[in-house]
Amino acid sequence: MIRNYFKVAWRSLLKGRLYSLINILGLSVGVAVCLLILLFVKNETSFDKFHSDSDRIYRAWVKEQFKDQLLFNSVTPVVLGPELRDNFPGIESVARYVTNTTSARVGAFMEQESVMMADPDFLEVFDFAMLAGTRVNAFSELHNVVITPSLARKYFGDDKPIGNILELQFAGEWQPFKVSGILEEPPSNSSIQYSAIIPFENAKVFLSPQAMLSWTIIYVETYVKLKQGVAVQDVMADIAPFIDEKVSQIYAPGEYVVGLQPITDIHLNADVPPGLVPVGDRRYIYILSGVALLILLLACINFTTIAVGRSVTRSREVGIRKVSGATRTQIMGQFWGEALLTTFLAVSIGVCLAMAALPLFNSLSGKALSMALSWESLVWLVAILLLTGLIAGTYPALVLSRFQPMQVIRGVLGRKSGDRHVVLRWLVGLQYVISLVLIMCTLVVKDQIRYLQQKDLGYQDEHVVAVPYLVSGQRLPQTWDDAHRITGVLRNDLIGRSGVVDITAASHTFGTPGWFQVGYVEQSTDRFRQFVVQHVQHNYLDVMQLRLTAGRGFYEQPESDMRSVIINEAMARAYGWDEPIGQFLPGPFAEYEVVGVVRDFHFAPLYEPVEPIALSKDALSLISLAPDHSFIDLPNPKLLFKLQAGDMQATLAEIRDSWQRAAPEQPFNFHFIDERTALQYESEVRLSRILAIATGLAIFIACLGLFGIGILTAARRAKEVGVRRVLGASTISIVLLLNRPFSMLVLIGAVIAVPVAWLVMQEWLQGFAYRVNISPLIFILSIVIAFVLAWLSVGYQTVRSALANPVQSLRDD
């Protein structure tokens, strides 16, 4: 029986080749898009689930409620980890980690590396595989280092790295670290990334005794692994009174809260601030998943609309089968068999299309996805096959099988014909709504991306190269002295003799998160205040073209302005200074005088409003006065080279040569600031590209369906057109007549699509502190595009029908 269904279905597909081609092509493109986006969603939702005890691993966070202010961080105090480990029996192990950038070398080969400092229990909490060495002895000595295979190849080539020495620059000196283990490369779906790990005890080089014991200085991420069977709610309930006692001299009970976040919740939970590693955005998962489902739905609608359009022809077939003794169940099985066969062919082609498009999709999404054959993937394919087949075949199976044989054979379908036309209009209208929503959303996203890329950020980062001058820990002030000296040497060597216009230095560069932030309690209001601090050289404003709105810049003399600051307008507003020049910084920083005000500039991404910032030639001394501070980016010198437009490669080669002469111990690792700034919006740019391609494919599928409907409409109304031609109707009037229903459906679809797209995009734009206003022109342009596509899709058939010889369509009558 089933075999016969598929034989009949195959004959039906061959009989209506054009319609079968439209269905299969539309469905295969929909399946390919769906598969690719499913791979992306699976990767995003699988973060950190590869740890065998992921259900028992949690990251600590801290909320500080100070008066009317809430400070929420997933970067925690250094002291928190040991306190949790030593005082809570429900906690099996604790692992803190922090990363810092330093120099590494083997022999004459030297590079800049990101080095993680982690507790010994790091390898107990997490399941990263040890490829060489033992987990027990990996951090048994202070100067042990565990590295990844890629770092091992980089420094040791084909030699066995275990037991060899990798030198790291600490406390201004080269320190030998013995390679004690090779740890697997961190998976791409891991929230924790590393290349070299050393014992956390080395952090004492970077941190003062105060920072090691303070509850208000945050520096590390802290992870805990609970014992088997211990509920996280019970642990958090025990932590609360313990923490209240520890911070009782600073906070009232309940004002300082330590919580635990499941590790599998980190990557896509925007409600918890990101820690040391950027996280994803759950909204993009929803957007892309919705787009995939909409595209698949468009393909299914195509199948159904063509089935509805062909219902007159197929109804005669149904009538004959019923007269021949076929039951309704058998006819339903036939139509579902056709749908499943079509879907099977489409899924097979879709898988091939997805595999062919995977490299492009990986490039667009920034992933390294693969389509490995597994039981899970087979289940997904079967699910897509059955779901799509059932959806696509439901209308033909349920409706066409109900036709009465005598009415069908006599050509009298009565009300059923009108019902089919209503269903057809609804389905085509739904296609227009989906297509319009996708077009509108794509245009809004592109408009916002263009705004992010073109907005005046308040500084000029074009042709500015940054080169970090590396340092570690207690020698930070002395390293700044070295950087000042090196900068002077480079100025004399390069300016006027190369493509270098000017050179300066700063503690942080644009496009880098986690600038140094200081905090204190304002005595007059008992309110917690904080602002960002940037250590700069005297000509920083000129190089970055920050615009003074009041006062002056810094003097060039090294000893001058050591207790002067230049603030931004946001800081003047925050402290209510109408005349900020001559004011002194508040709180513990009262010896620093404001000598200039610059126009607000965006040193953080445009997701966030501009915060108060103070620029200082002696920011390290200012920072030392702060009772509370936080940072991710270490405030070591970053030398900034302003270049002329022209031969950048030649200029960079000149800078490299001069750098190696002036600072032979320092690696020359550079980046262009404008490129680093653009990377802040990389996820939005990728979303825009994927959405644009997906929208294009959705429109292609919709146009395929409209093309098929145009053919059926022209065939159904051929006699009507012939009569009108005989009575003198013009070609243009007939084309307008045939296209009018589609034009009306575009207008109706627009009425529905505009508010839907507006609501979706308004929600997405709320994630940006600086965003575009959705222009009505976007909606008008989208509707115009839909009109043009609709007319192009059905226009050929309507024009052909209008130009046809009326005798051919009327001769049967």
Side-chain angles (χ1 to χ4, degrees), residues 552-565:
R552 61 173 176 83
F554 292 120
Y555 293 132
E556 183 176 353
Q557 293 76 11
E559 299 79 12
S560 62
D561 280 334
M562 299 306 285
R563 291 297 178 266
S564 300
V565 294

Side-chain angles (χ1 to χ4, degrees), residues 667-697:
F668 183 75
N669 294 301
F670 70 91
H671 66 267
F672 284 90
I673 290 183
D674 56 351
E675 293 178 356
R676 186 67 61 86
T677 303
L679 287 176
Q680 296 175 121
Y681 312 110
E682 188 175 15
S683 59
E684 284 74 25
V685 172
R686 286 174 175 165
L687 173 68
S688 174
R689 291 171 180 167
I690 294 173
L691 192 58
I693 293 175
T695 300
L697 293 173

Side-chain angles (χ1 to χ4, degrees), residues 5 101 161 240 394 572:
Y5 286 157
T101 301
T394 294

Side-chain angles (χ1 to χ4, degrees), residues 10-310:
W10 180 253
R11 290 171 185 165
S12 178
L13 292 180
L14 293 177
K15 185 178 180 181
R17 290 182 179 85
L18 178 60
Y19 305 112
S20 300
L21 178 63
I22 292 173
N23 283 333
I24 292 172
L25 185 57
L27 283 172
S28 61
V29 172
V31 168
V33 173
C34 203
L35 285 175
L36 291 174
I37 292 180
L38 275 175
L39 284 175
F40 178 84
V41 171
K42 179 185 175 184
N43 179 266
E44 286 288 288
T45 55
S46 68
F47 263 70
D48 302 309
K49 291 181 179 178
F50 59 88
H51 298 294
S52 58
D53 296 322
S54 60
D55 59 326
R56 295 194 283 137
I57 302 174
Y58 296 83
R59 181 179 67 172
W61 50 256
V62 174
K63 284 184 180 178
E64 301 174 63
Q65 184 71 48
F66 194 88
K67 305 301 179 183
D68 60 341
Q69 298 168 279
L70 177 64
L71 305 177
F72 188 12
N73 287 290
S74 58
V75 181
T76 61
V78 177
V79 70
L80 177 63
E83 293 288 356
L84 294 178
R85 181 185 60 234
D86 297 340
N87 293 283
F88 295 93
I91 294 177
E92 182 176 298
S93 50
V94 173
R96 299 166 297 173
Y97 86 88
V98 67
T99 57
N100 275 303
T101 301
T102 189
S103 296
R105 74 180 183 186
V106 171
F109 180 75
M110 179 174 60
E111 286 283 353
Q112 179 180 334
E113 302 294 347
S114 178
V115 177
M116 174 187 289
M117 291 177 285
D119 284 321
D121 279 352
F122 180 87
L123 298 178
E124 170 64 26
V125 173
F126 305 109
D127 282 352
F128 302 114
M130 185 70 76
L131 305 180
T134 63
R135 304 177 85 87
V136 175
N137 297 323
F139 300 127
S140 59
E141 298 180 14
L142 182 65
H143 279 197
N144 279 0
V145 61
V146 173
I147 60 177
T148 59
S150 59
L151 201 72
R153 288 191 297 271
K154 181 178 180 180
Y155 285 93
F156 301 104
D158 296 331
D159 296 339
K160 292 184 178 180
I162 299 296
N164 282 332
I165 299 299
L166 176 68
E167 292 186 278
L168 301 176
Q169 195 179 50
F170 272 77
E173 298 178 359
W174 288 102
Q175 302 287 341
F177 281 79
K178 183 174 68 174
V179 177
S180 58
I182 304 297
L183 202 61
E184 69 169 335
E185 303 286 349
S188 61
N189 60 343
S190 172
S191 294
I192 298 173
Q193 297 291 317
Y194 55 82
S195 57
I197 310 175
I198 62 176
F200 188 80
E201 285 297 307
N202 288 281
K204 292 179 179 178
V205 174
F206 290 83
L207 297 173
S208 66
Q210 175 195 4
M212 296 291 289
L213 300 175
S214 172
W215 286 93
T216 59
I217 298 176
I218 59 174
Y219 185 65
V220 299
E221 281 198 8
T222 302
Y223 287 81
V224 302
K225 181 177 179 180
L226 303 185
K227 290 182 177 178
Q228 196 76 40
V230 174
V232 65
Q233 295 84 357
D234 296 338
V235 175
M236 289 178 62
D238 293 338
I239 289 175
F242 176 83
I243 295 296
D244 285 341
E245 182 180 349
K246 287 291 182 181
V247 299
S248 58
Q249 294 183 350
I250 313 171
Y251 294 94
E255 290 183 343
Y256 192 103
V257 179
V258 173
L260 299 176
Q261 177 189 19
I263 188 173
T264 54
D265 183 56
I266 292 174
H267 183 65
L268 293 176
N269 190 347
D271 295 332
V272 179
L276 302 177
V277 177
V279 297
D281 192 329
R282 192 181 299 274
R283 295 176 303 165
Y284 296 161
I285 298 296
Y286 297 149
I287 291 172
L288 293 177
S289 299
V291 168
L293 291 175
L294 288 176
I295 289 177
L296 196 58
L297 180 60
L298 280 174
C300 293
I301 290 174
N302 274 358
F303 191 100
T304 306
T305 53
I306 289 176
V308 172
R310 296 179 66 198

Side-chain angles (χ1 to χ4, degrees), residues 735-773:
V735 170
L736 292 175
L737 174 69
L738 295 178
N739 278 313
R740 186 182 303 155
F742 297 101
S743 301
M744 291 300 298
L745 287 172
V746 171
L747 291 175
I748 295 170
V751 171
I752 301 171
V754 167
V756 172
W758 188 86
L759 289 172
V760 171
M761 286 294 95
Q762 280 286 26
E763 177 65 25
W764 179 70
L765 289 171
Q766 293 305 311
F768 299 89
Y770 302 90
R771 52 186 177 268
V772 296
N773 294 316

Side-chain angles (χ1 to χ4, degrees), residues 185-438:
E185 303 286 349
S188 61
N189 60 343
S190 172
S191 294
I192 298 173
Q193 297 291 317
Y194 55 82
S195 57
I197 310 175
I198 62 176
F200 188 80
E201 285 297 307
N202 288 281
K204 292 179 179 178
V205 174
F206 290 83
L207 297 173
S208 66
Q210 175 195 4
M212 296 291 289
L213 300 175
S214 172
W215 286 93
T216 59
I217 298 176
I218 59 174
Y219 185 65
V220 299
E221 281 198 8
T222 302
Y223 287 81
V224 302
K225 181 177 179 180
L226 303 185
K227 290 182 177 178
Q228 196 76 40
V230 174
V232 65
Q233 295 84 357
D234 296 338
V235 175
M236 289 178 62
D238 293 338
I239 289 175
F242 176 83
I243 295 296
D244 285 341
E245 182 180 349
K246 287 291 182 181
V247 299
S248 58
Q249 294 183 350
I250 313 171
Y251 294 94
E255 290 183 343
Y256 192 103
V257 179
V258 173
L260 299 176
Q261 177 189 19
I263 188 173
T264 54
D265 183 56
I266 292 174
H267 183 65
L268 293 176
N269 190 347
D271 295 332
V272 179
L276 302 177
V277 177
V279 297
D281 192 329
R282 192 181 299 274
R283 295 176 303 165
Y284 296 161
I285 298 296
Y286 297 149
I287 291 172
L288 293 177
S289 299
V291 168
L293 291 175
L294 288 176
I295 289 177
L296 196 58
L297 180 60
L298 280 174
C300 293
I301 290 174
N302 274 358
F303 191 100
T304 306
T305 53
I306 289 176
V308 172
R310 296 179 66 198
S311 59
V312 173
T313 304
R314 301 303 300 274
S315 63
R316 293 191 179 95
E317 176 189 338
V318 171
I320 293 172
R321 288 183 179 279
K322 283 195 171 183
V323 169
S324 302
T327 65
R328 186 185 179 194
T329 302
Q330 290 174 323
I331 294 174
M332 290 173 63
Q334 175 198 330
F335 282 115
W336 261 316
E338 287 183 21
L340 287 172
L341 178 59
T342 303
T343 306
F344 174 78
L345 295 173
V347 168
S348 302
I349 297 172
V351 171
C352 296
L353 290 176
M355 294 177 68
L358 189 58
L360 173 62
F361 186 77
N362 281 335
S363 175
L364 290 172
S365 63
K367 299 285 187 180
L369 306 174
S370 62
M371 294 188 66
L373 186 63
S374 64
W375 283 110
E376 183 182 2
S377 60
L378 288 175
V379 169
W380 274 109
L381 288 174
V382 171
I384 292 174
L385 170 64
L386 294 177
L387 181 63
T388 307
L390 290 174
I391 292 174
T394 294
Y395 182 87
L398 296 181
V399 177
L400 299 185
S401 64
R402 288 165 46 194
F403 291 159
Q404 298 300 316
M406 294 309 298
Q407 290 180 328
V408 169
I409 293 172
R410 290 163 53 192
V412 182
L413 293 178
R415 185 175 59 85
K416 296 292 189 299
S417 179
D419 291 345
R420 289 198 304 280
H421 295 155
V422 171
V423 171
L424 185 61
R425 292 191 187 98
W426 273 101
L427 291 172
V428 174
L430 181 57
Q431 280 192 317
Y432 281 128
V433 171
I434 294 172
S435 301
L436 280 165
V437 168
L438 290 175

